[in-house]
Amino acid sequence: MSHLKSYTSRAAQHSNPSARHLLELMDRKKTNLSASVDVTTKAELLRIADECGPYICVLKTHIDIISDFDDDLVTQLIALAEKHEFLIFEDRKFADIGNTVKLQYSSGVHKIASWAHITNAHIIPGEGIVHGLAEVGVPLNRALLLLAEMSSAGSLATGNYTLTALDIARRNRNFCVGFIGQRRLENGEEDFIYMTPGVGLVAKGDGLGQQYRTPRQVVFESGCDVIIVGRGIYGGGNTAENCRLYREAGWNAYLERIAVKPKPIVTHILFDMDGLLLDTERVYSEVTSEILARYGKTFDWALKSQMMGVKEGEAAAKLIEYCGLEGKLTAEEYLRERNAMQSERFPFCVPLPGVLRLVKHLKDTRIPICVATSSHRHAFDLKSSKNSELFGYFEGNITCGDDKAVVKGKPAPDIFLASAKSIGFHDADFQKCLVFEDAPSGVLAGLNAGMQVVWIPDPNLELDPVLTAQCAKVLRTMEDFDPSEFGLPAF
Ligand code: 6AU
């Protein structure tokens, strides 16, 4: 994953000269700090830029708030950028049609393209804005950041809007080098630079909608590259000392991040259904307990854990043998009665905690997902009948135990191999598939398929330590799953 590498080693990924220069100078100067200097006079801007200079990789300006702007300010800013070796980022947030932004970028009083190494743009007008700016910026080796997300409360730049920014940047890589955003959007080896405002060591907000997170949250947890700090630097106390503190915090978070051992990146996700997505295991337990009670037997956890996630014929045979019911009840009779009772109760099963949030998030971020259930298709239909929101997210990607491709039931790997294939997984490295399971036999099936497994066992289940050790994670509920730990887009 690109963000687990050093800035220098990422530089080669970029064809854009400003992006390469930035990544190299960050490691050389040991800083991922950008000072955002929102002051209104030329003198103040130059003084703060000179004080911050030794500590920063990028100086961010809002040139249109300077009341005494003149060409000499530009000359002096360029001289400071050379003296301290930082890049200049004019935070212009272009937002008009291609032809207009082209003129706003190149002309007028400020002639931004002539001195700012980096600028940024909203994508609200569509891709034409990037093409317009590129006509001016590319010949000058300039770089563009797209506003994918904003730090302010109630921002509308979320969901599909944010993902569209990623798509536009992908199509304009020579100029769009990254984003203004709150978290890394892509995973894998693809490399964009993320600059993140809304950073504060102490303050949480400013009363006008700004929201602050710490440098560690931004760089280590959310995988962003440059922290943009404004009032935290120049808003009180000693400017140079504030810079030193922010630089240290941002840099330590980066060092912590690149020390992380990369895990195989997950690209496809497979979900068991019973007891994992839905609370169906409750129904199984109730019904089988009621049947066994007639024979003076109890349905204990030792038996239940052997039956969970196994094809139903095999599970029934296990039950008859375990309870010594041969001659009293056949597997077929048990199944007939059980299935009738279950059919009445299944439609009332509900998604388990954290399930809807994760499945929706994966759907929204376009990660291929599939249900891989040992249940037969008719049972799946019953269980899903009143859960259209949850199963709608899967868009028909459902592999059932009676599908042709599933020859052997769990713990054989068949169902996970078939289900991965059905959603376009053709890689040789099955570690890129992540299986969610609650049943030991399902966990084993996932491991047998060579996949990573997250085990969310029923709290009553006694955990086999060997199986536990082979799982990527053992969680209490799906609420505890953090997608970013598997290289997936963070919540
Ligand atoms: O640290 P502050 O709150 O004093 O300053 C944050 C700076 C301001 C904003 O205009 C800018 O970052 N900003 C941006 C940028 C850089 O595009 C986007 C955003 O979402 N939030 C934000 O504060 O100069």
Side-chain angles (χ1 to χ4, degrees):
M1 271 134 57
S2 60
H3 72 292
L4 299 181
K5 296 183 190 155
S6 70
Y7 295 131
T8 315
S9 61
R10 288 168 54 189
Q13 291 267 333
H14 287 264
S15 58
N16 180 285
S18 290
R20 270 209 310 273
H21 184 185
L22 173 63
L23 289 165
E24 281 162 5
L25 91 82
M26 285 162 78
D27 271 348
R28 200 165 52 247
K29 257 182 103 171
K30 299 200 178 348
T31 177
N32 50 13
L33 173 62
S34 165
S36 161
V37 193
D38 295 352
V39 293
T40 54
T41 65
K42 173 179 167 184
E44 273 180 295
L45 175 55
L46 290 171
R47 177 181 60 74
I48 296 172
D50 201 18
E51 279 183 60
C52 296
Y55 305 98
I56 61 175
C57 56
V58 172
L59 179 82
K60 188 176 82 63
T61 56
H62 278 301
I63 211 68
D64 58 352
I65 63 176
I66 303 291
S67 46
D68 52 350
F69 173 85
D70 59 10
D71 289 345
D72 179 60
L73 171 57
V74 168
T75 310
Q76 292 207 51
L77 272 182
I78 293 171
L80 286 174
E82 281 166 11
K83 173 178 159 192
H84 295 297
E85 212 194 349
F86 56 71
L87 296 190
I88 306 173
F89 166 20
E90 166 54 20
D91 185 4
R92 174 61 178 77
K93 295 192 179 69
F94 291 102
D96 215 318
I97 59 166
N99 186 57
T100 306
V101 294
K102 207 170 120 178
L103 299 169
Q104 289 172 321
Y105 189 25
S106 62
S107 311
V109 181
H110 297 122
K111 300 180 185 58
I112 294 165
S114 70
W115 51 270
H117 303 97
I118 304 169
T119 193
N120 55 355
H122 288 290
I123 56 158
I124 193 88
E127 196 163 338
I129 189 169
V130 175
H131 299 155
L133 293 168
E135 281 189 23
V136 177
V138 169
L140 297 169
N141 290 335
R142 302 309 189 203
L144 182 71
L145 302 173
L146 297 180
L147 281 119
E149 290 177 304
M150 292 199 69
S151 60
S152 40
S155 160
L156 304 183
T158 59
N160 264 342
Y161 182 93
T162 300
L163 291 173
T164 304
L166 179 58
D167 288 341
I168 293 177
R170 281 177 172 146
R171 289 195 289 271
N172 297 274
R173 286 225 53 153
N174 62 331
F175 188 44
C176 286
V177 301
F179 305 96
I180 296 291
Q182 295 296 310
R183 69 201 160 101
R184 185 162 285 274
L185 301 172
E186 84 283 9
N187 50 51
E189 293 307 307
E190 197 180 8
D191 193 304
F192 287 105
I193 298 171
Y194 288 75
M195 297 203 190
T196 304
V199 179
L201 280 168
V202 188
K204 296 273 172 278
D206 67 356
L208 290 175
Q210 179 66 299
Q211 307 175 110
Y212 292 112
R213 293 190 300 151
T214 64
R216 188 174 183 279
Q217 284 174 314
V218 168
V219 175
F220 180 73
E221 292 177 20
S222 298
C224 298
D225 298 308
V226 174
I227 52 171
I228 298 177
V229 185
R231 287 161 286 181
I233 288 178
Y234 65 81
N238 180 298
T239 300
E241 177 58 13
N242 291 340
C243 275
R244 204 186 56 70
L245 288 175
Y246 275 98
R247 170 168 95 159
E248 190 176 282
W251 193 253
N252 286 342
Y254 160 65
L255 293 181
E256 190 181 348
R257 181 172 98 188
I258 59 175
V260 171
K261 201 165 108 300
K263 286 200 176 85
I265 310 140
V266 168
T267 58
H268 292 65
I269 304 193
L270 314 173
F271 291 91
D272 172 53
M273 177 174 68
D274 289 302
L276 187 283
L277 292 175
L278 295 178
D279 73 338
T280 45
E281 292 301 334
R282 180 179 50 79
V283 174
Y284 283 119
S285 295
E286 284 170 9
V287 167
T288 299
S289 296
E290 285 170 32
I291 297 173
L292 289 186
R294 291 208 309 265
Y295 300 90
K297 305 282 176 193
T298 48
F299 188 39
D300 60 32
W301 264 94
L303 170 59
K304 187 172 160 108
S305 59
Q306 289 180 41
M307 291 173 67
M308 276 164 66
V310 175
K311 279 192 152 192
E312 63 177 28
E314 292 169 37
K318 264 197 184 105
L319 173 111
I320 303 297
E321 189 198 325
Y322 186 92
C323 296
L325 292 177
E326 294 93 344
K328 295 183 189 146
L329 179 70
T330 67
E332 293 69 30
E333 285 164 349
Y334 159 73
L335 283 178
R336 209 174 309 124
E337 185 172 4
R338 186 199 75 167
N339 291 349
M341 288 166 80
Q342 286 176 168
S343 300
E344 289 169 14
R345 303 185 197 188
F346 275 149
F348 302 98
C349 291
V350 293
L352 284 158
V355 164
L356 279 174
R357 178 186 184 226
L358 175 64
V359 173
K360 177 176 186 316
H361 173 69
L362 296 172
K363 156 82 173 45
D364 287 348
T365 51
R366 303 181 199 169
I367 303 296
I369 52 175
C370 192
V371 174
T373 174
S374 301
S375 283
H376 287 191
R377 188 69 55 176
H378 67 87
F380 168 79
D381 290 340
L382 271 178
K383 291 166 190 169
S384 61
S385 59
K386 291 202 191 320
N387 284 293
S388 51
E389 183 190 354
L390 171 61
F391 292 101
Y393 294 135
F394 286 93
E395 297 178 317
N397 292 325
I398 314 286
T399 305
C400 288
D402 55 349
D403 283 6
K404 267 209 202 77
V406 184
V407 179
K408 284 198 192 138
K410 297 170 184 177
D414 301 26
I415 193 157
F416 290 122
L417 296 175
S419 119
K421 200 168 159 199
S422 76
I423 51 169
F425 185 83
H426 299 297
D427 202 288
D429 184 2
F430 284 99
Q431 287 278 297
K432 291 180 185 165
C433 288
L434 182 63
V435 166
F436 279 91
E437 262 290 354
D438 68 310
S441 60
V443 170
L444 206 51
L447 295 171
N448 286 339
M451 298 174 180
Q452 297 197 67
V453 179
V454 170
W455 189 8
I456 309 183
D458 186 290
N460 294 302
L461 193 67
E462 203 179 313
L463 300 191
D464 171 359
V466 178
L467 210 51
T468 304
Q470 294 174 83
C471 287
K473 287 262 168 201
V474 179
L475 302 177
R476 198 182 43 87
T477 81
M478 205 173 279
E479 287 167 312
D480 297 338
F481 180 69
D482 178 358
S484 64
E485 287 186 43
F486 291 84
L488 295 161
F491 279 123

